[in-house]
């Protein structure tokens, strides 16, 4: 039925990533001024995540404000500013590079002795 295909709860034979990409397309329709994305890459494969990053970059170039709520640090690379919350309170806020530097220092100081936890190039902690 093409564009007229009904998509019900659970998505008629669509994967979680496909449903998420459709929701993203709907959110971006018409180049909105503000977009809030909550865990936008939670169900995406590498190709979908790459498309998401391109979409965020295009929105920013068009002058949109994009707020991304995520637990995955790989989306932070497209951010100007980062807000880190813990237990519902602001723990850090500022320019992406400054916050990631502070996070890296915090990870190193809170790691168990000998664990050697350091952030990776994507900002993800590793041990």
């Amino acid at each position: 039925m093409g564009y007229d295909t009904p998509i019900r709860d659970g998505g008629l034979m669509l994967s979680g990533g496909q449903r998420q990409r459709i929701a993203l397309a709907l959110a971006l329709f018409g180049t909105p001024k503000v977009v809030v994305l909550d865990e936008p890459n939670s169900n995406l494969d590498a190709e979908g995540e790459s498309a998401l990053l391109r979409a965020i970059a295009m929105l920013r170039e068009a002058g949109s404000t994009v707020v991304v709520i995520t637990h995955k640090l790989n989306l932070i690379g497209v951010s100007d500013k980062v807000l880190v919350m813990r237990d519902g309170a602001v723990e850090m806020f500022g320019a992406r590079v400054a916050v990631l530097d502070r996070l890296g220092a915090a990870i190193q100081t809170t790691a168990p002795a000998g664990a050697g936890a350091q952030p990776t190039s994507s900002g993800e902690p590793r041990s």
Side-chain angles (χ1 to χ4, degrees), residues 1-8 11-14 22:
M1 295 175 59
Y3 288 116
D4 294 323
T5 302
I7 299 176
R8 298 176 191 90
L12 182 66
M13 301 198 11
L14 295 176
I22 290 170

Side-chain angles (χ1 to χ4, degrees), residues 27-72:
L28 303 184
F29 183 76
T31 314
K33 292 294 177 192
V34 177
V35 178
V36 178
L37 302 171
D38 187 5
E39 300 290 349
N41 60 341
S42 63
N43 292 310
L44 298 179
D45 58 11
E47 180 182 333
E49 190 158 315
S50 179
L52 171 65
L53 292 170
R54 286 192 309 273
I56 291 171
M58 286 190 301
L59 281 167
R60 293 182 64 210
E61 288 174 18
S64 297
T65 298
V66 182
V67 177
V68 178
I69 301 142
T70 185
H71 289 94
K72 297 180 178 181

Side-chain angles (χ1 to χ4, degrees), residues 75-82 94-101:
L75 287 182
I76 292 176
V78 295
S79 302
D80 293 325
K81 296 190 179 196
V82 174
R96 173 180 36 101
V97 174
V99 170
L100 289 177
D101 285 347

